[in-house]
Amino acid sequence: MTVSRTICLGFLTVIAVGTILLMMPFSTSDGSWNDPIVALFTSTSAVCVTGLSVVDPGTYFSFWGQLFILLLAQIGGLGYMTTTTFLITLIGRKFNLRQKIAIQQALDRPGMSDSTQVLRSIIATTLIFEITGTFLLLPAFVPEYGWDQGLWLAIFHSINAWNNAGFSLFKDNLIGYQSSYLVVFTITGLIILGGIGYQVILEAYLWLRDRLLKRTTNLVFSLDFKVATSTTLILLFIGVIAFFAIETRNPETFGSLNLRGQLLLAWFQSVTPRTAGFNTIDIGKMTTAGLFITIAMMFIGASPGGTGGGMKTTTLRVLTSCTKTILQGKEEVLLYERKIAVSLILKAVGVVVGSVGMVIFSTILIALTDPKLDFIQILFEVVSAFATVGLSTGITGSVSIAAKLILIVTMYVGRVGVLLLMAAVLGDPRPTRIHYPEENLLVG
């Protein structure tokens, strides 16, 4: 079995196991057998760290059901191969060559020699930030809900925020905490750090350690670090300005609050499409312009190596750099004085074409199955599913069964990746030595 098929089938296996567990009577709050579609949708949404839900997780599922959702989101955030490899490491088994290649592809790393150490660092980083997030959220939840429920709420939302999953146990998501600095900045901090990539966090840690210990080591940040951090900061800044400018005139979202509250909402709304799914406003009441900006932010998504989805920030930078190169009349695509390989440019183009194609296809299908829905609502839901975001205008639970199944497939494709899925279906690509003559073609 090829590496790509191993990863794709691994996610399907976890989804299937999660569906069975969520169907059991002990997973629902009323003790009855769960609807298979609800169980399948919730399991897929959790494993694909999306957060879309056809029911209210806080009231529909029992403690065990909520725990299963949390575990599925944790596995989905870490990735099937990362979780499996960590478990293999715990029982003391060694990796064969195929497993090492699978780890390399899952982590998107150039080499295999230090994969085990990288996996340990990923697990340690995950636990550190999730535990820290839990402690930071305790003062917000414990006074209102008591220690037992407050602790569970803190754990649940911290893990979901780090894994960019977006499930909430509150009926209105986080709207009730839209003015809480503690909740807003803790959740957004976890979302950003979880989605920016483990390699970026590791490099930042090494740089900070050297500065604190006053070491003379001259750490050179990788191109991944520079592109991921700069693009993330630029998109966050643009998002805050755009949402503040557009939604402050909307009395149903930002308009009724003071300047401080509006800036807090604009900050949260800029962060959550990247790709977490928590919300502090009613998404369905946003302006059409605000919804479209959110769609664009969701489609771009987070950074490679993180827990978020979307086409990724690095893909965006590669393509914008290609455009800049063409406008300047140059032939080499450069980023921070580094030449981008043609293979990476082709991969970026493939990701965008495949992603756009999947979004268009799913949007058309849902428009056919649910013709009464507005186009912007359908497009928003599809992009949210594909980019594994979890934001919704409120139509998820009311769409037809066929539309739910389409969203399930869309979430799965978005999580494993279009190129990886195609490789699993068609077989891993093999290089060819055949070269054909070059000819010009009119473009644009």
Side-chain angles (χ1 to χ4, degrees), residues 218-251:
N218 186 20
L219 176 67
V220 178
F221 289 119
S222 67
L223 186 60
D224 281 319
F225 179 94
K226 294 175 182 177
V227 172
T229 52
S230 61
T231 308
T232 297
L233 291 173
I234 291 169
L235 290 173
L236 288 174
F237 177 76
I238 292 174
V240 170
I241 298 299
F243 286 120
F244 181 79
I246 292 171
E247 292 297 326
T248 48
R249 292 176 291 180
N250 183 358

Side-chain angles (χ1 to χ4, degrees), residues 218-425:
N218 186 20
L219 176 67
V220 178
F221 289 119
S222 67
L223 186 60
D224 281 319
F225 179 94
K226 294 175 182 177
V227 172
T229 52
S230 61
T231 308
T232 297
L233 291 173
I234 291 169
L235 290 173
L236 288 174
F237 177 76
I238 292 174
V240 170
I241 298 299
F243 286 120
F244 181 79
I246 292 171
E247 292 297 326
T248 48
R249 292 176 291 180
N250 183 358
E252 295 185 292
T253 54
F254 289 20
S256 60
L257 299 177
N258 57 27
L259 178 62
R260 179 185 67 85
Q262 290 174 343
L263 288 173
L264 206 58
L265 289 181
W267 164 251
F268 195 94
Q269 192 59 31
S270 178
V271 173
T272 191
R274 320 277 322 288
T275 51
F278 289 108
N279 59 283
T280 52
I281 59 173
D282 186 344
I283 302 297
K285 294 180 180 179
M286 291 181 69
T287 61
T288 302
L291 289 175
F292 199 80
I293 291 173
T294 305
I295 289 172
M297 302 285 274
M298 291 193 297
F299 189 75
I300 295 170
S303 301
T307 58
M311 74 173 189
K312 301 297 191 293
T313 54
T314 48
T315 303
L316 175 67
R317 285 296 293 274
V318 168
L319 294 180
T320 53
S321 296
C322 287
T323 305
K324 179 182 176 182
T325 299
I326 293 170
L327 294 175
Q328 292 177 339
K330 299 179 180 179
E331 294 185 355
E332 291 185 346
V333 179
L334 301 176
L335 266 173
Y336 295 99
E337 299 181 347
R338 294 292 184 271
K339 180 182 176 181
I340 304 300
V342 174
S343 59
L344 287 179
I345 296 172
L346 294 176
K347 184 178 180 181
V349 173
V351 168
V352 173
V353 172
S355 300
V356 170
M358 186 65 196
V359 168
I360 292 174
F361 184 64
S362 298
T363 302
I364 292 173
L365 289 180
I366 295 180
L368 291 172
T369 60
D370 296 61
K372 293 183 180 180
L373 294 176
D374 292 336
F375 170 74
I376 191 71
Q377 290 181 313
I378 298 174
L379 181 62
F380 192 98
E381 202 80 8
V382 168
V383 173
S384 181
F386 179 79
T388 68
V389 180
L391 293 174
S392 175
T393 56
I395 66 171
T396 314
S398 60
V399 297
S400 64
I401 293 178
K404 289 185 177 73
L405 293 175
I406 294 168
L407 289 173
I408 287 170
V409 174
T410 305
M411 286 189 287
Y412 174 74
V413 175
R415 181 63 183 92
V416 300
V418 176
L419 298 184
L420 186 67
L421 185 62
M422 292 301 294
V425 175

Side-chain angles (χ1 to χ4, degrees), residues 118-229:
V118 171
L119 286 169
R120 291 196 183 101
S121 300
I122 289 174
I123 300 297
T125 302
T126 298
L127 292 176
I128 289 171
F129 279 101
E130 288 178 348
I131 292 172
T132 302
T134 299
F135 278 108
L136 290 175
L137 290 173
L138 284 176
F141 298 145
V142 170
E144 186 175 354
Y145 295 96
W147 268 104
D148 291 343
Q149 183 66 6
L151 178 61
W152 174 239
L153 289 171
I155 293 172
F156 190 91
H157 288 85
S158 177
I159 293 177
N160 269 278
W162 171 261
N163 290 290
N164 281 219
F167 282 100
S168 176
L169 298 181
F170 303 112
K171 280 189 176 183
D172 60 354
N173 207 281
L174 295 179
I175 293 178
Y177 294 91
Q178 63 180 200
S179 300
S180 171
Y181 282 103
L182 181 62
V183 173
V184 167
F185 285 111
T186 299
I187 295 294
T188 53
L190 289 170
I191 292 170
I192 293 170
L193 292 171
I196 205 167
Y198 295 102
Q199 181 177 339
V200 173
I201 295 174
L202 180 60
E203 288 188 40
Y205 163 74
L206 293 175
W207 178 85
L208 185 61
R209 184 195 64 183
D210 291 344
R211 291 295 178 275
L212 292 176
L213 297 178
K214 297 182 179 179
R215 293 181 179 177
T216 56
T217 307
N218 186 20
L219 176 67
V220 178
F221 289 119
S222 67
L223 186 60
D224 281 319
F225 179 94
K226 294 175 182 177
V227 172
T229 52

